[in-house]
Amino acid sequence: MADASSKGPFSCGLDAAVAVVGGKWKPLILWALHERPCRFGELRRNVSGVSEKMLTQQLRELESDGIVHREVYREVPPRVEYSLTPLGQSLNDALLPLGDWGEANLVTIVATRQTPRTSS
């Protein structure tokens, strides 16, 4: 267990993990990079609904956090590939049970979200 001085701005490990992977797009980007490196256009196609601007922003944040590696190949035209770092791979491995939970409960989640809520 980390002592209070090593936690920085985080109250616990879950707080730190959510800070790194929080939001709608980051888990989907990590999932898209799970099997192999991808170029930007391929990521944009695999992460349905993300805008070019948002994908760029999220990739920069993931790179800044040491989760994603950006490799620039000095070719004409230039080629850029994104891949998971070892830290990113370990984060993706930690997300696998969450994805399994989502798959196992997908029908219930969809049904619950489609049911009109009554006010108390």
Side-chain angles (χ1 to χ4, degrees), residues 2 5 12 17 22 30 32 38 43 61-62 64 67 71 87-88 93 96-97 102:
S5 64
C12 64
L30 291 172
C38 293
L43 275 174
E61 289 176 14
L62 288 166
S64 168
I67 303 300
E71 182 75 30
L87 185 64
D93 291 344
L96 287 173

Side-chain angles (χ1 to χ4, degrees), residues 4 54 64 79-80:
M54 183 57 68
S64 168
R79 177 170 56 107
V80 177

Side-chain angles (χ1 to χ4, degrees), residues 13-107:
L14 183 60
D15 187 20
V18 169
V20 171
V21 77
K24 178 178 181 177
W25 303 112
K26 287 180 183 177
L28 299 174
I29 293 167
L30 291 172
W31 193 252
L33 291 172
H34 184 65
E35 292 189 16
R36 61 181 177 77
C38 293
R39 294 176 72 174
F40 185 87
E42 186 177 10
L43 275 174
R44 183 139 185 242
R45 285 188 299 277
N46 290 338
V47 181
S48 181
V50 69
S51 69
E52 187 171 321
K53 179 181 176 183
M54 183 57 68
L55 181 57
T56 298
Q57 177 186 331
Q58 300 293 282
L59 284 167
R60 284 183 182 154
E61 289 176 14
L62 288 166
E63 185 180 7
S64 168
D65 286 334
I67 303 300
V68 167
H69 172 73
R70 180 178 187 264
E71 182 75 30
V72 179
Y73 294 91
R74 305 289 178 208
E75 301 172 348
V76 178
R79 177 170 56 107
V80 177
E81 282 187 346
Y82 296 90
S83 60
L84 293 176
T85 63
L87 185 64
Q89 185 61 54
S90 71
L91 177 57
N92 225 13
D93 291 344
L95 292 173
L96 287 173
L98 186 60
D100 292 342
W101 179 89
E103 285 290 329
N105 295 287
L106 193 56
V107 172

